[in-house]
Amino acid sequence: MYYRRLGKTGLEVSPIALGTWRFGMEHEETGVVETDRQAAHELLDAYAEAGGNFIDTANGYGGGDSERWIGEWLAERDREDYVVASKCFWSKESRFQENLSRKNVRAEVEGSLDRLDTDYLDILYLHRFDDETPIEKTLRTVDDLLSEGKVHHVGLSTADAWKLTKGLWKADVNNYEAFTVTQPLFHAAYYEDVAEYLDVCADQDLAVVPYSPLAGGFLTGKYERVGDGTYELDAPEDTRAQLDEMFEDWYVSERGWHVLDAVRAVADEVGATPAQVALRWLIDQPDFTCVPIVGARTVEQLEENLGALDVTISNEQFQRIFAARYDEDGNLYKTNA
């Protein structure tokens, strides 16, 4: 395992982060828990043994179990060896609070610290942008938390590019701590949709830590198109396509199939799996530091994902995957999201 600087934070992190949103996640219709406590600790063990140090969670993942299980695991290790990121917007502390008010941000951070059994978060992401609360009030609250040592860096997850820019501007004029890390939805088949957001990140030297870097598993190559259809696919047993009714709406599209074809071709050329190539494509982004978050369900999946660090793709192969989103006339293939 090697490490890279996370944008302007000064943090040294492994090039792939471990996502824990599956920890404790229960599907209402089936009652299936994607990752239970034992499996969660096994994944954390495997990640740490491989040299991984960047753990991503949120206050509400698994109803709070994700943070609790990470906290149990960290209690037996040196906390300083790990970079832990969490998030706030939706409340775990009050059923009435879903915002970035001073009250909610402080309550959610305190709750996260308690569940994680730690004194500080390395990174606090604002999970969404709150249109009803002036962003400078939220940033003032986060600035206070930084002064108290409870948060070290602030980031932003899902938002429009202009809202990210507004947050940076408000931090600058008020001399508050500014965003240094972002967490958008971003993968090889989903670029134009967040291009302006990524342009801001490149211009302001913000690290990009994308979620769903494998398009919910679509870019692993485990799915096959049924006949000539765009949206119909053959899904193996117990995969996300079977568990999540929104899977096809979010990830299966004409553009996705073409990008997957290019990813598969490059994987064959370099002797890697499609998942490894899709992750390598993100890690090799030239304009900003990109550290994808993988949400593996098994140790075997995690080990395959980490194998992306041993894969090399050429600039021609990188550009071929990028260009796969366009038809011969230079038009973007359709996507759903």
Side-chain angles (χ1 to χ4, degrees), residues 10 26 32 58 90 105 124 159 176 181 188 196 206 219 245 260 294 300 302 310 324-325 327-329:
E26 181 176 352
V32 173
W90 293 284
V105 169
L124 172 68
Y176 296 150
V181 191
E196 291 184 353
L206 307 182
L219 292 177
E245 62 182 16
L260 177 57
V294 298
E300 290 74 23
L302 176 61
D310 298 320
R325 293 189 297 276
D327 64 20
E328 294 179 354
D329 297 322

Side-chain angles (χ1 to χ4, degrees), residues 109-165:
V109 169
E110 296 287 358
S112 289
L113 294 177
D114 182 61
R115 286 185 292 274
L116 287 163
D117 192 21
T118 185
D119 296 328
Y120 66 93
L121 298 175
D122 294 280
I123 301 168
L124 172 68
Y125 291 103
L126 307 183
H127 214 158
R128 293 293 186 272
F129 199 96
D130 180 4
D131 294 317
E132 303 301 321
T133 302
I135 187 61
E136 58 267 33
K137 292 187 179 297
T138 302
L139 292 173
R140 168 63 188 273
T141 304
V142 175
D143 212 55
D144 290 343
L145 290 166
L146 268 91
S147 297
E148 296 165 17
K150 295 179 179 179
V151 172
H152 288 176
H153 303 280
V154 60
L156 179 65
S157 184
T158 302
D160 295 324
W162 71 266
K163 293 179 180 179
L164 171 60
T165 303

